[in-house]
Amino acid sequence: MGKGGGCVPSKKKVPHVAGDSPSSATADDTTEIAQASSSEVVAAATGMARLRIFIVFYSMYGHVEGLARRLKKGVDGVEGVEGVLYRVPETLSTEILQQMRAPPKDDGIPVITAEELAAADGVLFGFPTRYGSMAAQMKAFFDSTGQLWKEQKLAGKPAGFFVSTGTQGGGQETTAWTAITQLAHHGMLFVPIGYTFGPGMFKMESIRGGSPYGAGVYAGDGTREPSETELALAEHQGKYMALVVKRLNR
């Protein structure tokens, strides 16, 4: 989708430069093409730019970030689509975060601004729960998208959720469910995973976060690490979203 963000997705074209021809390519051009990834060469040859799914999250203790990284792996596994990790701005002071024993954040993941969101072809939002709904940091980010809402730049973009809760009754479903209102006001398309994960959605032998709304993890007291099943579900969601975005952009 273009930055206009209309309800009908637009296909991105590689700009044509007047005077370019195979015979006029320089040695530098040849080297640049040779160094490009095969997917980028294919995209250039077909006149299509790679679709980008923004994975926008807030993570205090790293549980949501762990899911985000596996979501990206799933997205990147679909040809012609790439996942881009972003954090939302932190609203707590450094002093408070230290008192809460929150680990330092990875500087390799940039902080997103509301305006940048319009460039995404699809978005996966991740956040921990606070009393059954999204954390204040993510809500503050949504609150900052007023200009995008006014111009309807996010209308028609597919979006999904992934979450983290402390306990089994802590809001795995309500956290995602109550977040749908944010998408509705922007005119975005909510993409749940349903039961597409197959048998993994029905196993009862061990504790597993996640629901038909999206991937999820149980953090417990903060020391529990995501299980491989929870991470596999996140990877599946990333792949599923990539396939949906790709289909909508055909």
Side-chain angles (χ1 to χ4, degrees):
M1 298 178 187
K3 289 189 177 181
C7 290
V8 180
S10 61
K11 294 185 177 180
K12 297 181 179 179
K13 300 291 185 180
V14 174
H16 173 71
V17 179
D20 281 357
S21 66
S23 60
S24 64
T26 65
D28 290 340
D29 295 331
T30 303
T31 301
E32 184 177 350
I33 293 174
Q35 292 176 342
S37 66
S38 59
S39 59
E40 289 172 336
V41 173
V42 171
T46 58
M48 292 291 295
R50 296 189 71 181
L51 299 169
R52 294 192 300 165
I53 295 177
F54 287 7
I55 302 169
V56 181
F57 68 93
Y58 176 73
S59 185
M60 178 173 285
Y61 295 106
H63 296 83
V64 175
E65 182 175 330
L67 294 182
R69 293 182 183 277
R70 283 296 286 266
L71 281 158
K72 175 175 168 54
K73 182 178 179 180
V75 172
D76 292 344
V78 176
E79 184 179 0
V81 189
E82 65 174 331
V84 185
L85 294 174
Y86 284 107
R87 295 184 189 277
V88 300
E90 179 60 80
T91 61
L92 297 177
S93 68
T94 302
E95 292 74 16
I96 292 178
L97 290 173
Q98 290 175 345
Q99 291 175 14
M100 299 178 72
R101 299 182 179 179
K105 294 178 172 58
D106 182 357
D107 293 334
I109 300 176
V111 175
I112 193 171
T113 63
E115 293 73 21
E116 290 175 294
L117 203 58
D121 295 292
V123 189
L124 287 164
F125 295 102
F127 36 83
T129 184
R130 297 292 185 267
Y131 302 111
S133 59
M134 69 174 66
Q137 289 85 348
M138 182 59 72
K139 183 59 169 64
F141 176 73
F142 274 115
D143 288 348
S144 73
T145 62
Q147 188 63 31
L148 296 178
W149 166 79
K150 183 177 180 180
E151 299 176 8
Q152 285 296 284
K153 286 190 174 181
L154 301 183
K157 291 185 186 291
F161 301 125
F162 56 104
V163 304
S164 170
T165 63
T167 64
Q168 288 180 299
Q172 286 278 312
E173 294 186 346
T174 62
T175 303
W177 178 49
T178 54
I180 293 175
T181 58
Q182 313 298 317
L183 306 187
H185 283 260
H186 277 289
M188 303 180 81
L189 308 177
F190 176 50
V191 182
I193 58 172
Y195 285 84
T196 58
F197 191 48
M201 296 292 289
F202 298 93
K203 291 182 179 179
M204 302 290 289
E205 293 80 9
S206 61
I207 295 175
R208 172 192 58 78
S211 72
Y213 291 91
V217 60
Y218 290 122
D221 62 359
T223 61
R224 180 183 183 271
E225 295 296 328
S227 69
E228 181 53 37
T229 301
E230 290 168 330
L231 293 173
L233 178 55
E235 185 174 337
H236 168 77
Q237 183 177 8
K239 181 179 180 180
Y240 184 78
M241 174 62 86
L243 291 172
V244 169
V245 169
K246 192 173 182 180
R247 180 176 299 176
L248 290 173
N249 278 270
R250 284 177 181 171

